[in-house]
Amino acid sequence: MKTILKLTSLFLLAMVVSSCSNDDDQPQGGTQYTLNDLQGKWYRVNSSNPTADGMEVTVTDNQGKVTDPANTGFQLNSIKWKDITQTGDSDFEHEELGSNNAYYGGYMEYTHDDTLRIWVNYVAPGSEQKWVRTYQP
């Protein structure tokens, strides 16, 4: 009788534990961002190259084109970000157009406050950037 009671208790405990949901597909904050969340206009507001702040890039599909070069040497409609691919819940990899017209690997992180942080795999001015949806100089 004690063996049956122990087995029944163990079985019930196993059922309770297995029925608890731990959704591994969701990040800690409960929100997952996709390439769709990056679509639209972005404004550079803070970077390790402040002369480029104010630049506007518009993301369509998996690339971002310069739609306002501001005080930079980038050409209007040049592809600033190309081959954007999602690598995590809010993480993306891409190719970043540098001021020397060469592309460098880069990493993007989209955060809940509509902020896009970018790190470029090249040590130079502008290798760390912050982009937002609304620009206020």
Side-chain angles (χ1 to χ4, degrees), residues 21-40:
S21 175
N22 183 8
D23 191 355
D24 293 333
D25 294 336
Q26 294 294 320
Q28 286 287 354
T31 305
Q32 181 172 357
Y33 299 106
T34 66
L35 192 55
N36 282 341
D37 295 301
L38 299 183
Q39 305 300 298

Side-chain angles (χ1 to χ4, degrees), residues 48 98-100 102-106 119-128:
S48 55
S99 57
N100 62 354
Y103 282 96
Y104 300 94
W119 295 271
V120 181
N121 298 331
Y122 184 71
V123 179
S127 61
E128 293 183 31

Side-chain angles (χ1 to χ4, degrees), residues 53-82:
D53 293 350
M55 180 183 357
E56 177 188 280
V57 169
T58 301
V59 174
T60 306
D61 297 323
N62 70 339
Q63 68 179 16
K65 287 187 178 181
V66 176
T67 46
D68 182 353
N71 297 320
T72 69
F74 293 104
Q75 298 297 311
L76 186 65
N77 294 319
S78 59
I79 298 174
K80 178 74 170 136
W81 307 328
K82 70 176 185 176

Side-chain angles (χ1 to χ4, degrees), residues 13-24:
L13 181 61
M15 285 187 57
V16 168
V17 170
S18 67
S19 68
C20 293
S21 175
N22 183 8
D23 191 355
D24 293 333

Side-chain angles (χ1 to χ4, degrees), residues 1 6 12 18 29 36 75 84 86-87 98 111 123 128 130:
M1 180 72 172
K6 286 181 183 178
L12 289 174
S18 67
N36 282 341
Q75 298 297 311
I84 303 170
Q86 187 163 3
T87 58
T111 60
V123 179
E128 293 183 31
K130 178 181 176 182

